[in-house]
Amino acid sequence: MSTFLKARGPVPVVQEIDVAAAADFLRLFHAENPAAGPVEPRLREVRAEIYMTGTYTHTPEELTFGARVAWRNSSRCIGRLYWHSLQVRDRREVNTAEGVAVECVNHLREAAPNNKVRPTITVFAPDRPGRPGPRIWNEQLIRYAGYAMDDGSVIGDPRYVDFTTMVRKLGWSGGPGSHFDVLPLLVSAGNGPPLMCTVPGDAVLEVPLTHPSYRWFESLGLRWHAVPAISNMCLEIGGIHYRAAPFNGWYMGSEIGARNLADIDRYDLMPIMAHLLGLDATNDRSLWRDHALVELNVAVLHSFEQAGVTMTDHHTESRRFLTHVAREEKAGRVCPADWSWIVPPLSGSATPVFHRYYDEAELSPSFVHHPDSVDRGLGHWPVS
């Protein structure tokens, strides 16, 4: 591609690895994996490698453990009970934009065999001193375009209007113009210009939404993708930054039904639902929003179940999370949790996670948002 992006501010410089961070991780790995043997020989090996090269290389076992513990430490995730089952696709040999794009598509295909979504992460080449690793610009591997109309309305997802505008300037011709056009992937080798790639249709598992009681719901033409693969967070393990490491679990219904489709700054379906349900939307005391929100969430859960696609509900996941907390406490570990994210956006006080407080701690390994990645994921980098 001939179109380049102009970054705001200085380009981040990749520094040498912090020896203390590497040592802390290795001690944790060996403490929780006694079969790995004593930690001292590995510490000497890693210190010598950092001294010679400014960085070091995780063993496959260390990488798998680090990725899983990063999920275990994710304070905003309610679905951590199965952190130990995370499938780790080690693709650290891949550092080209083309290679990353191909493996992102393969990730989507492998993450949902026979419609059964399984927690998966693909780890690409890390940052190294003087050699930044690849970047995935998209916030998630699958997101829908937002087309800004002249009258101020939006076709599609308003959250991605800026990103859609950016990829259009980079040459994307756009999709059919529906509310659910899948955005292309933007991938760059380090801080270089992005390569734009269309996601093949067979890699996008989508569920058309219907309602078990209302036949008219199907006429809305709603659908949603089934693999929520976050792609703009950095996996940090023992001082090493894997800036391209897309990962997914499975959806909790309220993420779609009470946020993506319902938020005012997203698809904002509550007024439409209220009208079709015959609710009085002129009086807040009629609780029309609550009624409409429940029916939308019923449709989401019903549709995924009918399609045989993995999904959980917020009541079940709340109970699972407290099981996870109990297990972590029994293991003598802190379980960090952000209450505002753990409590579901629908019927929060009706779930057990609402009625308690949680520990707040920043643990490592971890998934971290870097400001430049957040900017890219929302299309806030101007095209020259």
Side-chain angles (χ1 to χ4, degrees):
M1 297 184 61
S2 59
T3 305
F4 289 78
L5 295 185
K6 181 172 61 180
R8 294 182 300 178
V11 174
V13 176
V14 181
Q15 304 291 341
E16 291 190 357
I17 297 299
D18 181 359
V19 175
D24 287 345
F25 168 69
L26 293 172
R27 292 190 180 98
L28 177 67
F29 172 76
H30 283 261
E32 294 195 27
N33 296 273
V39 69
E40 286 75 15
R42 178 62 174 147
L43 282 174
R44 287 194 294 270
E45 181 180 278
V46 166
R47 287 185 179 120
E49 189 176 353
I50 293 175
Y51 176 77
M52 294 295 294
T53 68
T55 187
Y56 69 106
T57 301
H58 290 129
T59 67
E61 295 77 16
E62 290 167 355
L63 179 70
T64 295
F65 174 76
R68 290 173 175 173
V69 173
W71 184 16
R72 187 177 80 190
N73 290 338
S74 298
S75 63
R76 292 182 172 185
C77 179
I78 194 174
R80 286 176 272 167
L81 177 61
Y82 303 110
W83 63 272
H84 55 277
S85 68
L86 179 67
Q87 302 294 308
V88 179
R89 303 177 71 244
D90 185 353
R91 299 295 185 271
R92 286 177 290 174
E93 76 281 3
V94 179
N95 57 18
T96 65
E98 294 86 349
V100 171
V102 167
E103 284 300 331
C104 283
V105 172
N106 289 337
H107 176 119
L108 291 169
R109 289 175 174 143
E110 294 178 22
N114 300 314
N115 291 354
K116 305 304 179 185
V117 182
R118 58 184 181 183
T120 303
I121 184 170
T122 299
V123 184
F124 295 106
D127 283 350
R128 294 187 175 279
R131 273 192 303 139
R135 306 284 193 267
I136 302 169
W137 293 40
N138 306 63
E139 190 176 39
Q140 291 195 22
L141 295 184
I142 302 297
R143 274 307 197 211
Y144 297 119
Y147 304 105
M149 300 290 101
D150 291 339
D151 62 0
S153 64
V154 174
I155 295 176
D157 194 338
R159 180 175 176 84
Y160 298 103
V161 166
D162 288 346
F163 193 90
T164 302
T165 300
M166 181 175 70
V167 295
R168 294 293 293 271
K169 290 180 179 179
L170 286 169
W172 186 52
S173 60
S178 77
H179 286 287
F180 302 99
D181 291 354
V182 175
L183 285 162
L185 292 175
L186 286 186
V187 182
S188 60
N191 294 313
L195 172 74
M196 185 163 54
C197 309
T198 300
V199 182
D202 70 293
V204 184
L205 176 58
E206 290 182 296
V207 177
L209 303 185
T210 61
H211 194 284
S213 302
Y214 301 113
R215 298 289 297 272
W216 50 258
F217 190 93
E218 187 174 355
S219 66
L220 295 174
L222 304 176
R223 63 180 185 268
W224 205 261
H225 62 95
V227 180
I230 298 171
S231 51
N232 71 338
M233 295 189 76
C234 177
L235 170 62
E236 298 185 358
I237 304 174
I240 293 181
H241 291 185
Y242 298 96
R243 293 287 293 270
F247 63 94
N248 71 271
W250 50 72
Y251 267 118
M252 185 167 69
S254 58
E255 293 179 88
I256 300 171
R259 297 302 310 276
N260 297 333
L261 294 177
D263 281 354
I264 294 176
D265 59 350
R266 300 294 297 284
Y267 281 81
D268 192 22
L269 290 180
M270 290 302 92
I272 295 173
M273 288 291 296
H275 172 72
L276 294 172
L277 287 165
L279 304 176
D280 178 10
T282 65
N283 184 358
D284 285 340
R285 292 195 175 193
S286 71
L287 301 184
W288 65 270
R289 291 185 183 86
D290 309 72
H291 188 166
L293 194 62
V294 168
E295 295 299 344
L296 183 54
N297 279 267
V298 166
V300 170
L301 291 168
H302 164 79
S303 302
F304 272 69
E305 183 175 13
Q306 289 295 109
V309 176
T310 307
M311 171 174 276
T312 187
D313 65 88
H314 51 290
H315 296 287
T316 299
E317 209 58 44
S318 293
R319 291 192 297 270
R320 288 175 178 171
F321 179 70
L322 292 186
T323 298
H324 169 69
V325 172
R327 288 182 182 178
E328 290 300 292
E329 291 174 346
K330 185 176 180 179
R333 295 191 290 259
V334 172
C335 181
D338 184 332
W339 189 95
S340 65
W341 279 75
I342 296 301
V343 175
L346 175 68
S347 305
S349 64
T351 64
V353 293
F354 179 90
H355 301 281
R356 58 164 292 169
Y357 294 103
Y358 302 94
D359 292 317
E360 295 183 10
E362 293 185 5
L363 304 179
S364 182
S366 60
F367 290 104
V368 178
H369 276 300
H370 287 209
D372 66 305
S373 294
V374 173
D375 277 348
R376 297 184 198 208
L378 293 177
H380 295 164
W381 284 53
V383 179
S384 59

